[in-house]
Amino acid sequence: MESNTLPPLAWIYGLGNQKRETVEMVLEHLQKQAKAPIPTGGAVLPKSSFLGGLNINKDACTLCMSCVGGCPEGALLDNLDEPKLSFIEKQCVQCGICVSTCPEQALLLAPRLQTVEGRKQKVELNETKPFHCISCGKVFGTAKMVDLMLVKLGAHGAFAGAALDRLKMCGDCRVVDMVKKEI
Ligand code: SF4
Ligand code: SF4
């Protein structure tokens, strides 16, 4: 028996079930047909758009990487060798989880349409220097995080006087230092 049901457009154009690849293919097609090029930095889209990037306040960002752990799409990336936050726009669905995860309110959604090439690029959003424990030399955080801790906890009684240096020590050395001073 013949069926009158037409095959889905995805079949006609040889597209698989991968929604992300389909979107990129459609965007590439539209970009090629467009009469004017996409402006540098991308064309601004309405707030509810699922396409877009992120704006970051580099001074506020401590490179804590909470946003990387929160992103369900793998659009935000950590770096194993140095404290660096990277972003791939084509992975981002503008869900806003990273914006609400960030403890420093350093991120804002930027709904926009970039070129297909730009969307594929891994871009660096922020970077800082690693911080080395002043006792054993092990890397245990970033310079920005330690600076922030010194500002926020420096006035606390537990870190008064020489104990302030404990904020510049890794967890192990901090405990050793506390035990030594109590003996
Ligand atoms: S908006 Fe959503 S998908 Fe985009 S980077 Fe943030 S958490 Fe990831
Ligand atoms: S943007 Fe916010 S959550 Fe992401 S690394 Fe920077 S401070 Fe941490």
Side-chain angles (χ1 to χ4, degrees):
M1 191 173 74
E2 274 189 31
S3 164
N4 289 327
T5 311
L6 289 171
L9 283 175
W11 291 7
I12 295 172
Y13 292 103
L15 299 172
N17 282 332
Q18 303 297 316
K19 290 179 190 167
R20 198 182 294 280
E21 280 71 16
T22 305
V23 167
E24 293 307 313
M25 199 173 280
V26 169
L27 289 177
E28 190 166 6
H29 175 76
L30 292 175
Q31 191 180 309
K32 281 180 186 160
Q33 311 302 316
K35 291 190 176 137
I38 293 174
T40 310
V44 177
L45 293 177
K47 267 190 179 169
S48 54
S49 169
F50 69 97
L51 300 175
L54 292 173
N55 287 333
I56 186 163
N57 178 342
K58 289 188 183 187
D59 292 333
C61 169
T62 57
L63 278 289
C64 69
M65 301 298 168
S66 302
C67 53
V68 174
C71 176
E73 300 294 331
L76 285 161
L77 307 162
D78 196 353
N79 188 305
L80 287 180
D81 304 323
E82 50 194 333
K84 193 183 278 186
L85 176 66
S86 307
F87 176 70
I88 301 175
E89 189 149 330
K90 104 179 163 67
Q91 297 296 119
C92 178
V93 293
Q94 297 283 286
C95 65
I97 292 175
C98 56
V99 175
S100 41
T101 303
C102 176
E104 310 301 334
Q105 289 87 47
L107 292 172
L108 278 178
L109 294 178
R112 65 184 176 208
L113 178 61
Q114 287 256 49
T115 60
V116 171
E117 296 73 33
R119 287 172 54 73
K120 288 181 193 164
Q121 300 280 324
K122 180 163 128 179
V123 294
E124 192 183 295
L125 291 184
N126 203 8
E127 69 174 329
T128 187
K129 299 247 180 297
F131 190 89
H132 298 260
C133 170
I134 58 168
S135 182
C136 69
K138 188 172 77 182
V139 172
F140 77 94
T142 69
K144 274 193 163 183
M145 282 171 75
V146 173
D147 284 348
L148 195 71
M149 269 202 299
L150 289 171
V151 170
K152 289 192 174 173
L153 297 175
H156 194 283
F159 299 103
L164 189 67
D165 276 348
R166 286 188 193 136
L167 291 175
K168 302 176 204 164
M169 294 177 189
C170 65
D172 293 342
C173 291
R174 199 173 297 161
V175 173
V176 171
D177 188 68
M178 284 167 74
V179 172
K180 265 192 204 163
K181 302 272 160 68
E182 279 173 17
I183 293 172

